[in-house]
Amino acid sequence: HVQLVESGGGSVQAGGSLRLSCTISSFTYRNYYMTWFRQTPEKEREGVAATTIGGGRSYYADSVKGRFTISRGDTGNTLYLQMNSLKPEDTSMYYCAAGPNPPSSDDWYIPQHYDYWGQGTQVTVS
């Protein structure tokens, strides 16, 4: 059984920063690739950032490049998203997703690529 738990969301003023965390609870966590998505009630779920297990390659949505940084903790079971220079349009529910297949430039942003999802953490930028 794989469970993902996000934390770190909150309310912040434009220009501020937040750091999201996602912990995967699975004995085989090293086998899972983890990605951040976000979604508002008005929009479809959007891929934000993805990384390979070792962190050697990362992918970002154009809207967050240069502002957000994805990373995986040393133990491998925690995924982070450092969000700087936040904008009101970053307001969304942020979700962590995990799956056994490595992300590529063609599919990392596709929700169906992932098997497991967290409950989400709300980020509000005003």
Side-chain angles (χ1 to χ4, degrees):
H1 178 67
V2 176
Q3 187 174 11
L4 302 173
V5 179
E6 302 100 332
S7 62
S11 297
V12 65
Q13 291 188 338
S17 299
L18 283 173
R19 188 192 196 202
L20 305 184
S21 300
C22 173
T23 300
I24 181 170
S25 59
S26 168
F27 289 114
T28 59
Y29 63 84
R30 294 185 183 276
N31 296 333
Y32 291 95
Y33 297 86
M34 298 168 70
T35 294
W36 287 102
F37 283 81
R38 65 186 181 186
Q39 186 174 21
T40 65
E42 300 78 22
K43 295 182 180 180
E44 294 183 353
R45 193 160 293 193
E46 172 191 26
V48 176
T51 187
T52 53
I53 290 178
R57 180 170 293 180
S58 299
Y59 305 96
Y60 294 94
D62 289 341
S63 57
V64 306
K65 281 181 181 177
R67 300 188 298 121
F68 291 10
T69 303
I70 189 172
S71 62
R72 197 149 175 175
D74 291 340
T75 59
N77 68 332
T78 303
L79 184 71
Y80 300 102
L81 186 67
Q82 178 66 43
M83 305 187 296
N84 298 328
S85 303
L86 283 162
K87 304 176 181 179
E89 51 264 44
D90 295 318
T91 295
S92 188
M93 184 72 79
Y94 284 72
Y95 297 91
C96 175
N101 301 312
S104 72
S105 58
D106 295 328
D107 60 24
W108 71 268
Y109 51 87
I110 300 175
Q112 289 79 6
H113 185 77
Y114 303 91
D115 298 331
Y116 304 100
W117 294 83
Q119 82 289 350
T121 185
Q122 178 68 36
V123 171
T124 303
V125 185
S126 59

